[in-house]
């Protein structure tokens, strides 16, 4: 499930205000938070990893265990980028409920 809604990126502008959003994590659920560097990572052909690549990486990981899932996402981005130079940070935070 993709959480919708959102605001300007955190920390971009002093004094920004944000809306609250709520989601319930049930046992076995995980939430993945990531920086735009993940979805904007390009390969040598200039194609971005994008939301589809992220969704595929999460599905292929086959786990909700935070460390394994985070590493799987970063590995998938690295494999996608190949020899291309990444122009932004790659940040992934995975929280799960057992």
């Amino acid at each position: 499930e993709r959480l919708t809604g959102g605001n300007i990126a955190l920390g971009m502008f002093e004094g920004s205000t944000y809306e609250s959003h709520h989601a319930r994590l049930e046992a076995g659920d995980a939430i993945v938070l990531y920086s735009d560097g993940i979805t904007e990572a390009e390969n040598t052909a200039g194609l971005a990893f994008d939301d589809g690549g992220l969704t595929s990486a999460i599905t292929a990981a086959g786990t909700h265990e935070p460390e394994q899932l985070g590493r799987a996402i970063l590995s998938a981005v690295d494999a996608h980028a190949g020899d291309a130079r990444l122009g932004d940070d790659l940040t992934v935070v995975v929280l799960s409920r057992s």
Side-chain angles (χ1 to χ4, degrees):
E1 174 183 355
R2 177 173 290 283
L3 301 178
T4 58
N7 300 102
I8 193 159
L10 290 174
M12 284 192 69
F13 301 105
E14 188 175 329
S16 294
T17 58
Y18 299 91
E19 297 175 25
S20 294
H21 297 275
H22 300 273
R24 178 180 288 282
L25 293 180
E26 302 295 340
D29 286 349
I31 187 166
V32 177
L33 308 170
Y34 58 94
S35 64
D36 62 350
I38 296 289
T39 52
E40 293 174 0
E42 294 182 350
N43 62 16
T44 55
L47 298 173
F49 188 66
D50 70 34
D51 292 338
L54 179 59
T55 300
S56 294
I58 292 169
T59 301
T63 182
H64 288 124
E65 194 282 317
E67 186 173 348
Q68 290 177 3
L69 182 52
R71 288 184 189 279
I73 292 167
L74 292 173
S75 291
V77 172
D78 191 48
H80 171 79
D83 292 332
R85 182 181 179 282
L86 298 174
D88 202 351
D89 69 289
L90 301 178
T91 303
V92 178
V93 176
V94 181
L95 306 169
S96 67
R97 181 169 179 198
S98 52

